[in-house]
Amino acid sequence: MLKGFRDFISRGSVVELAVAVVIGAAFTAIVNALVEGFINPLIAASFGEPDLTAVGNFTINEAHFSIGLILAAIFNFLCVAAAIYFFIVVPINKMREMRAKEPEGEEEIEPEEQILLLREIRDALRDRV
């Protein structure tokens, strides 16, 4: 049972997933800082609201609705997804393409004509015996 667990944990996909979660969290913090420090002030200047969550708020029978809250979540998601795609996925794919183009190991060298002739002689002598 412990061996199976160890095999599961040591699999590459589990480690890659853990790295992806950590990197995703780090990029989320960066993108959120960008949104709070740059984008929200732009929205405030455009809509006259402090941030996107204040846009499209209304109340019906004491129930508060916020279209801006939904728009802010979608916008944050798209920013994080774009940052991860352009700064992680694209460079990694380029690196993989470059590695795929590189020759693996040494290429097999064709033997010279003299070596081929010596092999034929060796094989002919072996067949005589």
Side-chain angles (χ1 to χ4, degrees), residues 29-103:
I30 292 170
V31 172
N32 285 338
L34 176 69
V35 168
E36 292 298 320
F38 183 72
I39 307 247
N40 280 344
L42 283 177
I43 291 170
S46 302
F47 291 106
E49 298 290 342
D51 60 12
L52 195 57
T53 59
V55 176
N57 291 341
F58 59 93
T59 304
I60 300 175
N61 292 332
E62 296 183 27
H64 301 285
F65 297 89
S66 178
I67 303 299
L69 185 64
I70 297 167
L71 293 175
I74 291 170
F75 184 75
N76 283 346
F77 170 77
L78 291 175
C79 287
V80 169
I84 289 173
Y85 179 75
F86 289 112
F87 294 114
I88 295 176
V89 173
V90 170
I92 287 175
N93 286 343
K94 293 279 187 192
M95 186 176 61
R96 285 182 180 163
E97 286 177 16
M98 289 172 48
R99 283 187 180 168
K101 290 179 183 177
E102 292 176 1

